[in-house]
Amino acid sequence: SLFNEDCKELYITYSKSYKQVRLLFCYQSECSFVPVNQYWRTGANRHTIINTNSELIFSDNILPSVEYSLYTIPGKDKWKVVINSENGYFGIVQPDESNDLFSFEAFPTNLNESVEQLTIDFVSDSIGSSVRLRWDVTEVLMPFK
């Protein structure tokens, strides 16, 4: 995914997963995939990479221009989004927390229709821009400036 506005570029590189018949965003005892309240690499196989050519601001946290890892901890009413400086992992579920740059909260909403394949893209409106994650009947917006 690529977002480009006013010469600011933001790339999100992730491995797309399919829902299939799995339960998503559920408690581990009932879950076959992506349990709540646990680190998730926010994709399949390799963790999700966020790369920008300019400084961005996520929830009053400054993200300098370079490459980072984006992890999430899904929750029922809110998600924790974690930006970590390590970016060479394959298949790791939880990064070394000492390399976390910052984290912020994002709030899931329900979609009317199920999205079969994990989709991360960008949306903009009069309020600003967001990284948007959609999968199954869940949507999470991560606003940035």
Side-chain angles (χ1 to χ4, degrees), residues 73-144:
I73 302 173
K76 184 178 180 234
D77 298 318
K78 66 182 174 183
W79 286 32
K80 182 177 180 181
V81 179
V82 179
I83 305 296
N84 187 283
S85 64
E86 293 295 318
N87 57 23
Y89 296 125
F90 182 87
I92 191 167
V93 176
Q94 182 168 346
D96 181 349
E97 291 181 42
S98 68
N99 293 318
D100 289 354
L101 273 72
F102 59 83
S103 64
F104 60 94
E105 294 179 345
F107 301 93
T109 58
N110 290 324
L111 298 170
N112 292 329
E113 294 182 19
S114 180
V115 176
E116 176 65 24
Q117 187 176 33
L118 171 67
T119 304
I120 300 175
D121 58 9
F122 304 97
V123 292
S124 295
D125 58 22
S126 60
I127 298 171
S129 301
S130 296
V131 175
R132 178 176 64 176
L133 180 149
R134 291 177 295 149
W135 202 15
D136 193 15
V137 292
T138 300
E139 177 180 80
V140 177
L141 296 177
M142 298 166 245
F144 66 91

Side-chain angles (χ1 to χ4, degrees), residues 12-24:
I12 303 284
T13 305
Y14 66 103
S15 297
K16 294 183 176 186
S17 295
Y18 286 88
K19 178 184 183 302
Q20 300 170 340
V21 295
R22 300 180 284 199
L23 292 174
L24 304 178

Side-chain angles (χ1 to χ4, degrees), residues 2 32 34 38 43 51 73 75 103 141:
L2 166 65
S32 62
V34 192
Q38 294 185 23
N51 190 317
I73 302 173
S103 64
L141 296 177

